[in-house]
Amino acid sequence: MMAMSARMKAEGGASQSAREMYTHLAESSEDPTVKQMVQMQLMRLDSLAEREKIRRVLLDYTTRNGHCVTSWREISAPLFAAGLRIGASGAPLDPTNVPYRQIKNGCDVDLGEQSALPRQ
């Protein structure tokens, strides 16, 4: 029940409350399956926050240049300045070290195809 409540809070935008609930669940459980699920959900919350940072950088670039990015390298410096980890390709990396992917012709971001993070 606590895991479901935490997920509902995360989906409703209360990520800090969800993070606290997941952390409490991990600390109070001895079950390795629960601990693994909690770890994945915490990384999912990290990824949601990272994607919001990326979207702000993408929007700033589009506003200044009149078009969306064509390559991560065009915005790798502002992404790094926003505290994101950048891979060799210039793409920001999700918490599982998989590069995020550009969608909507470089105007938005999503998880990479190989990411192990929960999609919802």
Side-chain angles (χ1 to χ4, degrees):
M1 289 301 285
M2 186 178 285
M4 286 178 54
S5 178
R7 185 170 179 118
M8 288 171 44
K9 285 185 181 297
E11 290 172 1
S15 62
Q16 186 58 36
S17 294
R19 182 175 298 284
E20 290 170 8
M21 291 179 81
Y22 281 128
T23 301
H24 175 71
L25 182 58
E27 291 169 351
S28 64
S29 177
E30 297 299 321
D31 184 341
T33 304
V34 169
K35 288 185 178 289
Q36 181 180 11
M37 179 275 302
V38 167
Q39 182 63 28
M40 289 302 290
Q41 291 301 327
L42 290 171
M43 287 192 297
R44 177 178 167 266
L45 291 174
D46 291 341
S47 175
L48 291 170
E50 289 172 351
R51 284 182 273 167
E52 282 306 308
K53 288 180 183 180
I54 295 167
R55 286 184 181 105
R56 284 193 295 271
V57 171
L58 289 169
L59 180 59
D60 183 55
Y61 179 92
T62 301
T63 300
R64 283 187 287 109
N65 295 288
H67 61 86
C68 297
V69 301
T70 57
S71 164
W72 286 118
R73 293 203 186 279
E74 294 175 88
I75 58 170
S76 60
L79 291 172
F80 183 77
L84 297 160
R85 295 173 307 112
I86 308 299
S89 68
L93 302 174
D94 76 15
T96 65
N97 292 319
V98 173
Y100 287 106
R101 66 185 173 105
Q102 294 176 13
I103 60 172
K104 299 181 182 176
N105 296 317
C107 291
D108 201 1
V109 62
D110 199 4
L111 292 172
E113 294 295 326
Q114 302 302 316
S115 181
L117 292 175
R119 303 262 171 204
Q120 294 187 20

